[in-house]
Amino acid sequence: MNERYSRQILFREIGREGQQKLLDSRVLIVGCGALGASHAEMLSRAGVGRLRIVDRDFVEFTNLQRQTLFKEQDAEQRLPKAAAAKKRVAEINSEVVVEEIVADVNNSNVESLISDCDLIIDGTDNFLVRYLVNDACVKNNKTWIYGAAVSSYGTTMTVIPGSTPCLRCIFEDMPDAGSSPTCDTSGVIMPIISSISAVQVTEAIKLLIGDIDSLHRSLMQIDIWSNDWHRIKLTEPNSDCVCCGQHKYEFLDAEAREFSAVLCGRNAVQIAPPRPTELDLASFASRLNSSMPVKQNEYLVRFDIDGQEVTVFRDARAIIKGTDDIAAARSIYARFIGT
Ligand SMILES: [Zn+2]
């Protein structure tokens, strides 16, 4: 076995056998922002053999303060985060196979994204995706590790369907829009990202090597600025829980997909196509090019219109930056991409 892992193998709880299990594992990282970038770095250094990284966004300069995997060049090139993560992981540990998926996680793709993974780790920044992941994981009996961080505060717990409470056992309903702090309204400092992702990745390693007895079995809450560390012990799942008790998967089964969303911390709106589709980026760019300057790379096309920056991805999603007005963003989408 590669000497790269010698110090980790010396750690008795992992050993040679545990290392082999890590090498043979596949983990899905849902969202490659601050938490996800940190997961990708730690899991690849630890030698988790396969990482599937899904993220809908591209790297910006405001990310660099806390998203450790990314560089200025990634922001200049507007690389999708999943693609930039793949590039960086290849430099860190070329033995790790990274599958980069530039897409929005929604109810049409979440079950196939988790299907052949040993574990799912939450790096997303929004509750809708977390409830969707919770539904999909409970339904398909997959373990996932919830994590969230904003300001100097973060929280995490590990969900093992049938054995521990699920996300909806603890937080029955999604918080109302505008009711909780976001990175946009309250900011965020990097040390809380490092703390929460460290707990999540440690749980991931324990799970992948089968050391179930060492899991923390709690809702862990950390405020790294005010020095408050809390653990609320978790016991049995709630038998009345809509999701894991009654097996109603309301987020997974939702008819109406959310086609548009104001993005956290971005002064930007994402518009998704009503049906999954693939855009021929080269011909789209050449159509636009006749009327305006267009920038492109293999993942996206970008142009400016009325003081707003429009980025269109291969899956026909667009991020319109410079507004948080969904109607205005939808009208730009309709003009240039179609409905
Ligand atoms: Zn539950």
Side-chain angles (χ1 to χ4, degrees), residues 60-75:
E60 292 191 286
F61 277 91
T62 56
N63 303 147
L64 299 180
Q65 160 257 352
R66 65 194 180 284
Q67 304 191 8
T68 52
L69 217 47
F70 308 132
K71 294 181 175 175
E72 290 182 356
Q73 201 184 30
D74 302 324

Side-chain angles (χ1 to χ4, degrees), residues 320-336:
I320 293 114
K321 195 182 166 190
T323 183
D324 52 15
D325 178 346
I326 287 181
R330 292 201 72 82
S331 117
I332 289 175
Y333 189 90
R335 276 167 68 196
F336 293 97

Side-chain angles (χ1 to χ4, degrees), residues 134 138 164-170 237-245:
N134 188 65
V138 170
T164 71
C166 80
L167 189 68
R168 290 200 79 180
C169 291
I170 307 290
N238 172 6
S239 55
D240 295 332
C241 172
V242 177
C243 177
C244 71

Side-chain angles (χ1 to χ4, degrees), residues 11 53 75 96 98 104 119 129 152 177 207 285 331:
F11 179 65
I53 301 176
V96 175
V98 175
D104 201 24
L119 188 70
V129 174
S152 59
L207 284 158
S331 117

Side-chain angles (χ1 to χ4, degrees), residues 26-86:
R26 177 187 272 128
V27 171
L28 171 66
I29 300 175
V30 184
C32 196
L35 287 171
S38 187
H39 302 148
E41 175 167 0
M42 283 193 266
L43 292 171
S44 61
R45 288 189 191 275
V48 170
R50 290 167 185 274
L51 297 177
R52 177 175 295 156
I53 301 176
V54 52
D55 191 281
R56 65 184 179 186
D57 216 339
F58 53 86
V59 181
E60 292 191 286
F61 277 91
T62 56
N63 303 147
L64 299 180
Q65 160 257 352
R66 65 194 180 284
Q67 304 191 8
T68 52
L69 217 47
F70 308 132
K71 294 181 175 175
E72 290 182 356
Q73 201 184 30
D74 302 324
E76 276 155 15
Q77 296 177 350
R78 296 289 205 281
L79 269 191
K81 290 181 179 179
K86 179 180 175 137

